[in-house]
Amino acid sequence: MILSSFGQQLRQVRQQKGFELNEFAKELGVSPVYLNNLETGKTQTIQLEVLSRLQNELYMIIDDDEGIDDQTAIRIDRISSMLHDLYKLNQPAAEYLMAVVEQGIEVFVLRSTDIH
Protein backbone atom coordinates (compact mmCIF):
# COMPACT_ATOMS: atom_id res chain seq x y z
CA MET A 1 0.00 0.00 0.00
CA ILE A 2 1.31 3.42 -0.88
CA LEU A 3 1.65 5.60 2.22
CA SER A 4 0.27 8.70 0.50
CA SER A 5 -2.97 6.83 -0.23
CA PHE A 6 -2.97 5.56 3.35
CA GLY A 7 -2.41 9.12 4.57
CA GLN A 8 -5.36 10.42 2.61
CA GLN A 9 -7.57 7.70 4.03
CA LEU A 10 -6.23 8.38 7.52
CA ARG A 11 -7.04 12.08 7.30
CA GLN A 12 -10.51 11.38 5.96
CA VAL A 13 -11.33 8.88 8.70
CA ARG A 14 -9.84 11.12 11.43
CA GLN A 15 -11.96 14.03 10.28
CA GLN A 16 -15.09 11.88 10.00
CA LYS A 17 -14.54 10.76 13.59
CA GLY A 18 -14.24 14.42 14.64
CA PHE A 19 -10.61 14.38 15.78
CA GLU A 20 -8.46 17.50 15.37
CA LEU A 21 -4.91 16.84 14.22
CA ASN A 22 -3.27 18.02 17.45
CA GLU A 23 -5.58 16.13 19.79
CA PHE A 24 -5.32 12.93 17.79
CA ALA A 25 -1.53 13.17 17.57
CA LYS A 26 -1.41 13.53 21.36
CA GLU A 27 -3.71 10.53 21.80
CA LEU A 28 -1.45 8.46 19.52
CA GLY A 29 1.71 9.60 21.29
CA VAL A 30 3.20 11.19 18.18
CA SER A 31 3.93 14.79 17.25
CA PRO A 32 1.39 16.74 15.21
CA VAL A 33 4.11 17.28 12.60
CA TYR A 34 4.62 13.51 12.24
CA LEU A 35 0.88 12.89 11.95
CA ASN A 36 0.55 15.65 9.37
CA ASN A 37 3.50 14.22 7.42
CA LEU A 38 1.87 10.80 7.55
CA GLU A 39 -1.44 12.17 6.30
CA THR A 40 0.17 14.13 3.48
CA GLY A 41 2.46 11.28 2.41
CA LYS A 42 5.64 13.19 3.29
CA THR A 43 6.89 10.39 5.50
CA GLN A 44 7.76 7.03 3.99
CA THR A 45 7.80 5.00 7.21
CA ILE A 46 5.35 4.18 9.93
CA GLN A 47 6.13 2.32 13.12
CA LEU A 48 4.06 -0.82 13.69
CA GLU A 49 3.12 0.45 17.14
CA VAL A 50 1.68 3.63 15.62
CA LEU A 51 -0.11 1.63 12.92
CA SER A 52 -1.63 -0.58 15.59
CA ARG A 53 -2.77 2.43 17.62
CA LEU A 54 -4.29 3.97 14.50
CA GLN A 55 -6.23 0.83 13.77
CA ASN A 56 -7.46 0.63 17.35
CA GLU A 57 -8.32 4.31 17.64
CA LEU A 58 -10.03 4.73 14.31
CA TYR A 59 -11.34 1.20 13.87
CA MET A 60 -10.03 1.38 10.35
CA ILE A 61 -9.38 -1.56 8.16
CA ILE A 62 -5.89 -1.04 6.80
CA ASP A 63 -6.52 -3.00 3.60
CA ASP A 64 -8.65 -1.49 0.92
CA ASP A 65 -12.03 -3.17 1.02
CA GLU A 66 -11.66 -5.27 -2.14
CA GLY A 67 -14.64 -7.48 -2.66
CA ILE A 68 -16.82 -5.64 -0.14
CA ASP A 69 -19.75 -3.76 -1.62
CA ASP A 70 -20.59 -0.25 -0.42
CA GLN A 71 -23.62 -1.34 1.60
CA THR A 72 -21.60 -3.94 3.51
CA ALA A 73 -18.79 -1.45 4.18
CA ILE A 74 -21.36 1.01 5.53
CA ARG A 75 -22.82 -1.66 7.81
CA ILE A 76 -19.36 -2.64 9.10
CA ASP A 77 -18.54 1.01 9.83
CA ARG A 78 -21.93 1.49 11.55
CA ILE A 79 -21.46 -1.59 13.73
CA SER A 80 -17.97 -0.43 14.65
CA SER A 81 -19.24 3.03 15.58
CA MET A 82 -22.12 1.59 17.61
CA LEU A 83 -19.77 -0.76 19.43
CA HIS A 84 -17.42 2.12 20.18
CA ASP A 85 -20.31 4.15 21.63
CA LEU A 86 -21.50 1.17 23.67
CA TYR A 87 -17.98 0.70 25.05
CA LYS A 88 -18.12 4.25 26.44
CA LEU A 89 -21.48 3.58 28.09
CA ASN A 90 -21.21 -0.05 29.15
CA GLN A 91 -17.76 -1.58 28.85
CA PRO A 92 -18.73 -5.11 30.01
CA ALA A 93 -21.54 -5.31 27.44
CA ALA A 94 -19.23 -4.14 24.67
CA GLU A 95 -16.54 -6.62 25.74
CA TYR A 96 -19.12 -9.41 25.70
CA LEU A 97 -20.32 -8.53 22.19
CA MET A 98 -16.76 -8.26 20.88
CA ALA A 99 -15.92 -11.68 22.32
CA VAL A 100 -19.03 -13.24 20.75
CA VAL A 101 -18.23 -11.76 17.34
CA GLU A 102 -14.58 -12.81 17.55
CA GLN A 103 -15.52 -16.35 18.51
CA GLY A 104 -18.14 -16.52 15.78
CA ILE A 105 -15.68 -15.37 13.15
CA GLU A 106 -13.11 -17.89 14.34
CA VAL A 107 -15.69 -20.68 14.03
CA PHE A 108 -16.56 -19.69 10.46
CA VAL A 109 -12.93 -19.23 9.45
CA LEU A 110 -12.00 -22.65 10.87
CA ARG A 111 -15.01 -24.23 9.18
CA SER A 112 -14.12 -22.70 5.80
CA THR A 113 -10.47 -23.81 6.06
CA ASP A 114 -11.57 -27.35 6.97
CA ILE A 115 -13.69 -27.52 3.82
CA HIS A 116 -10.86 -26.58 1.47
Side-chain angles (χ1 to χ4, degrees):
M1 170 177 15
I2 299 171
L3 279 180
S4 62
S5 174
F6 170 77
Q8 291 168 354
Q9 292 175 349
L10 171 60
R11 176 174 281 166
Q12 183 180 13
V13 172
R14 175 183 57 78
Q15 290 172 340
Q16 287 175 349
K17 297 288 187 179
F19 289 109
E20 293 295 324
L21 182 89
N22 289 341
E23 72 176 323
F24 192 59
K26 183 178 180 180
E27 200 166 312
L28 289 175
V30 300
S31 73
V33 171
Y34 176 78
L35 183 56
N36 184 61
N37 286 343
L38 192 58
E39 288 183 352
T40 58
K42 292 178 184 173
T43 185
Q44 296 301 308
T45 61
I46 182 169
Q47 297 173 347
L48 288 177
E49 185 177 314
V50 173
L51 188 60
S52 177
R53 284 190 216 136
L54 285 170
Q55 190 172 2
N56 290 335
E57 289 296 326
L58 296 175
Y59 303 96
M60 39 188 301
I61 299 170
I62 301 304
D63 294 317
D64 56 353
D65 293 328
E66 285 187 35
I68 296 180
D69 61 74
D70 290 342
Q71 191 63 29
T72 301
I74 290 169
R75 289 179 66 204
I76 291 169
D77 288 343
R78 181 172 176 263
I79 290 167
S80 176
S81 179
M82 292 170 69
L83 189 56
H84 186 253
D85 291 343
L86 177 61
Y87 191 87
K88 291 177 186 175
L89 296 172
N90 187 338
Q91 187 175 349
E95 291 287 347
Y96 170 76
L97 289 174
M98 287 187 290
V100 168
V101 169
E102 290 167 341
Q103 290 171 1
I105 290 170
E106 289 171 1
V107 165
F108 284 103
V109 168
L110 285 175
R111 185 180 300 163
S112 67
T113 58
D114 288 344
I115 293 172
H116 293 77

